[in-house]
Structure formats: structure tokens, C-alpha cells
Amino acid sequence: MSTPLARPAAVYRRKKSLYYSAVFQVWDARAQRWKQAMKSTRCTDESKALQIAREFERVSLAAGGVSGEARISRDFVVEIINDILRIAGHREVVDSKSWKSYSDAWLKAAAKRVPKTLSASSLKAYTSYVNNFTVWLGKDAELALGNFTGDMLQNWYLSGIEEGLKPTTMNIAASTISTIFERARDEGYATRNPVNLISRELNNSNTRDPYTPAEVERLLSYLRASTERRDWLTVTLLGLCTSQRLTDCANALRTQIVVQPGTWIWEMQQGKTKKKMRIPIVGPLASHLTELWQEPTDSLYLAPSLAGVAAARNRGLSTQFTEILKSAGIEGRKVEGQGRGLSFNSLTFHSLRHTCNSLLANAGITPEVRRMITGHSNDATNLIYTHLEDATKSKALNKAFSPKKKAAARKAAAGD
């Protein structure tokens, strides 16, 4: 019986072909003998092509033999493929990672951000959400990230609701899990984010409220009435017109504003997600910044008295804004039982994020564009920040039930 070692791998090139073909031996289990195989190396260099041919032969030897027992593993195949890619001058394939190993590494990286860009309480919450999801997965926690499906995530989400967790709590947990899958997708460990396929429950009694047009005008009028509140006017307009968070607005730099003909751009990096954003400056914010640019200043910050991460933590900017709302005569509703049983007010600075996104939605702006402005990682998260007006829903219904639509439907039915 002949062996493949008696006829080692070789290469040849047809006259009309650019690439060398590999010739090597493979084991035919049915015929119980070795036979010749040919495969293009997709390589024009003879020496590199021969190296690739030998890699083909190495796979063949591991996959068969007279005993018929394959000595091949997943790691072995990945090693061979990467050897071939390196020889051909291409990037190696990214090996898969399990949810358990990847999420553990993600939490370790998050821990290194404390206290500079992440609070200890936020890390504690992230850890709780991730660990609870991992426990629910059980043995499936060792699944490769690319093998997770929307049904799996939907079952996890619904199981939390059935156990008595509020939709808001599960939505926040889902957003954390989504952030991990988004990063895994960016790094090549997953081809999609399965969290995007979850059908979430919205509990309106547990969400922030957007500001009404009258409340927005009352708030801005109150802030414009005093020069002492000038920085708060700047920060509030940033939040209202760009949908960004309080800390990012308070730390906005003059150097981040790109002045160009027609439209100014705020080039910033979100402190929470680290996403780089380019947000056009429009409306009342544009007018306000135009005025600021005419005033002399030595500070790089747009709102010097409120700037700095340390100031945002030590001076309680959220509390300051709550006092401004009270002074302006704006009151939200008290929401009980949020998260770990704490109550909160439905109108805060974060409500400006809801307001901006809802204004865009009611103007007919697509979720994709809204996400590019808010920085949301998926449509499900953006939906939580979307509050459609009755007029918008009425317009949609009128369009759906218009005479033209009915006539088209009758014509289509008649055609069938």
C-alpha cells in the first residue's frame, strides 16, 4: 500500500493560469487507499505555493489514514488556516470566544476604568447584570459568541419578567449585554448582536418623561433670565439639541466645536460609551454658541463653572439641575420601585435625551439616524427613548386608512 509520504506535496501551474495548484495525497475511506488531490493555492509565488501545499497535506494526514481515525480538532484546523493566511500575506482569522471568557474580560477592563471614567456603582450594576445572565445560561455560557440567537436572548428576557423583575430592569440589563455583544462584533468574535432581536416590554410608568414644548420654553426662559445661570443655559441647550448626557455636556470643550460654513459640528467622545460622535449644532444652541464665541474667555470649557469630571461628582450637578427645575416651576412625577427599589423623578437632565430623540422621531427621522445622534447601540434601546405624540400616531393611522390605500388594497385583492 502506498503512503502519502512516498509522494510528498508538490505544485504545478497550467499555462493559462496565474496561480499554482497544490498536488497532495488524501485518504479515501471507502476505497481504503490513498489518492491524489489537487487544489488551487491562489498564490503566484512558487515557494509560497509549495508551503501552502504542505499545509494542505498536513490537514490530509491528520484527517485520515489506514486506521480511519481522524486526528483533527477545531484548534488544529484554525492553526492550519492561519498558517496558510500568513504564508499568503493575509490577516489571520479571529478565533471564537465564549460568552463566559469574553464577558469576564470585559468586566476586568471596565474595572480598570474606576474611578476615572466609570463609577464604582455602575461597575457593580454591570457585574450584577452580566453574572445573572451567565448563571441563567448555565452550560451555554461556554457557547461561542457567534452561536447566540435572538430566541435565546428573548427567552432570557422573558424569564426575568416572569420572575417578577420590572421591564425597566430587564431593559437596562439587556442594554449592558448588548454593549458586550456590540464590542464582540466590532472585534470579529460575532457577526451580529442577538440582543437587537429581543422584543422588549415597555413599562411607561417606569420610564423618564420627555419635556413638553411649554416646559422647555419655561426652563430656557428661567435660565436666560440670569447671567449667573449662563453656564447652565449652555449645558441645557447642549443636552436638548444634541441628546447627550449631563457629564459630556458639562465637560464640552471649545476645541471640540468645528466651525465650518453653514453648519457647526460638535466632535466629541461619549464618556460612557467612548463612541466618537459628530453632531451638527442647530436651533437655539447655534444661536447661543454664536453669542459665546463673541465673548472673551481664558477657559477651554463651554461651561467653565460646571466643567470637570471631579466637579460633576463632588458638586452634584444632577441635584443642581433638579433645583433649577423646581425654581422654574417644572415638576415631574415620582416613580416608585425603579431598579433596586429606589424611586426617582420622571423629569431630570436625562429627560432632555428623551426629548431630543422624541422630537426627531415625531419629525419622521429614522431610528438609524437617531442612533447616530444619540449614540445608542441598538434600536431596542433607542425605542425606550422614543415618545411618539398623538398627532404622529394619528397621521400614521390616517395614512394607512386613506381612500387611496383602501382602493389599492381592493384592487390587489381583485387581482388575486
Side-chain angles (χ1 to χ4, degrees):
M1 182 180 295
S2 63
T3 68
L5 297 179
R7 299 181 62 183
V11 294
Y12 80 98
R13 184 171 64 181
R14 294 189 179 93
K15 291 182 179 180
K16 295 183 179 181
S17 175
L18 294 175
Y19 305 112
Y20 282 92
S21 293
V23 181
F24 53 99
Q25 300 291 307
V26 296
W27 177 253
D28 187 334
R30 291 184 178 180
Q32 289 292 295
R33 66 182 180 84
W34 293 96
K35 65 179 182 180
Q36 182 174 281
M38 290 182 290
K39 184 174 180 61
S40 174
T41 64
R42 303 293 293 179
C43 189
T44 58
D45 183 280
E46 184 176 7
S47 61
K48 289 184 178 180
L50 183 57
Q51 293 181 64
I52 293 174
R54 289 169 180 167
E55 292 298 320
F56 289 158
E57 182 181 61
R58 188 150 70 101
V59 175
S60 175
L61 289 171
V66 291
S67 64
E69 296 180 0
R71 302 179 304 281
I72 201 165
S73 66
R74 179 184 173 285
D75 291 339
F76 180 81
V77 172
V78 172
E79 176 191 348
I80 296 292
I81 292 173
N82 281 333
D83 283 345
I84 292 174
L85 290 173
R86 280 194 296 270
I87 292 168
H90 298 295
R91 291 178 58 185
E92 299 179 22
V93 297
V94 179
D95 196 6
S96 64
K97 286 191 176 183
S98 71
W99 162 262
K100 182 68 170 63
S101 63
Y102 191 83
S103 61
D104 285 348
W106 185 86
L107 286 174
K108 287 182 180 179
K112 293 180 180 179
R113 294 167 48 199
V114 177
K116 293 183 178 180
T117 60
L118 184 69
S119 67
S121 60
S122 293
L123 176 63
K124 184 178 180 181
Y126 293 161
T127 303
S128 174
Y129 298 141
V130 170
N131 288 344
N132 288 342
F133 180 59
T134 302
V135 170
W136 181 87
L137 287 172
K139 293 181 180 180
D140 286 342
E142 297 301 332
L143 277 177
L145 290 163
N147 291 336
F148 280 77
T149 66
D151 286 342
M152 292 176 65
L153 272 295
Q154 186 70 65
N155 290 337
W156 161 72
Y157 183 88
L158 293 177
S159 70
I161 301 294
E162 291 172 358
E163 290 175 4
L165 294 177
K166 296 181 181 298
T168 304
T169 301
M170 290 304 299
N171 288 336
I172 296 173
S175 295
T176 301
I177 305 304
S178 176
T179 299
I180 297 176
F181 273 106
E182 285 291 331
R183 185 175 182 83
R185 185 172 65 175
D186 290 343
E187 291 184 341
Y189 295 116
T191 58
R192 66 184 186 281
N193 180 355
V195 180
N196 288 340
L197 302 176
I198 293 178
S199 177
R200 304 194 192 190
E201 293 187 21
L202 295 181
N203 187 340
N204 290 331
S205 64
N206 280 343
T207 58
R208 308 266 180 199
D209 292 330
Y211 290 96
T212 65
E215 288 171 335
V216 169
E217 185 56 39
R218 190 184 309 166
L219 174 60
L220 295 180
S221 296
Y222 174 79
L223 293 173
R224 290 189 180 109
S226 173
T227 55
E228 295 179 357
R229 293 184 284 268
R230 188 65 178 273
D231 284 351
W232 267 115
L233 176 60
T234 301
V235 170
T236 300
L237 285 171
L238 278 170
L240 173 65
C241 298
T242 69
S243 191
Q244 297 308 304
R245 298 174 179 86
L246 175 55
T247 301
D248 290 326
C249 293
N251 292 312
L253 298 169
R254 286 175 172 263
T255 53
Q256 293 174 336
I257 306 300
V258 179
V259 180
Q260 58 187 41
T263 304
W264 292 13
I265 303 292
W266 183 16
E267 289 188 343
M268 52 88 72
Q269 184 181 43
Q270 289 185 330
K272 183 177 181 180
T273 65
K274 300 306 177 185
K275 288 183 179 179
K276 293 182 178 180
M277 310 284 292
R278 281 177 53 85
I279 308 173
I281 297 172
V282 295
L285 175 60
S287 299
H288 179 71
L289 291 186
T290 300
E291 294 177 3
L292 284 186
W293 249 243
Q294 297 173 356
E295 300 172 2
T297 180
D298 295 329
S299 177
L300 290 177
Y301 290 103
L302 290 176
S305 67
L306 307 178
V309 175
R313 287 176 180 163
N314 297 334
R315 295 178 58 189
L317 293 185
S318 294
T319 302
Q320 290 185 47
F321 189 78
T322 299
E323 293 300 320
I324 288 175
L325 290 177
K326 290 181 180 178
S327 299
I330 300 173
E331 293 185 8
R333 56 189 175 83
K334 186 177 181 181
V335 181
E336 301 288 350
Q338 166 69 5
R340 294 182 291 275
L342 303 176
S343 63
F344 71 98
N345 195 297
S346 64
L347 288 179
T348 62
F349 190 92
H350 204 73
S351 296
L352 293 172
R353 191 160 163 79
H354 287 252
T355 305
C356 180
N357 185 71
S358 297
L359 287 171
L360 293 170
N362 284 291
I365 307 304
T366 64
E368 180 183 6
V369 175
R370 300 204 306 267
R371 285 175 53 191
M372 292 175 66
I373 295 172
T374 62
H376 288 142
S377 60
N378 54 72
D379 289 344
T381 300
N382 186 264
L383 183 61
I384 299 173
Y385 287 73
T386 303
H387 307 261
L388 295 179
E389 298 173 351
D390 289 341
T392 302
K393 291 180 280 188
S394 177
K395 182 179 179 181
L397 286 169
N398 287 328
K399 183 178 180 180
F401 288 92
S402 67
K404 291 183 179 180
K405 288 284 185 179
K406 290 181 179 180
R410 285 195 297 268
K411 185 178 180 179
D416 293 340

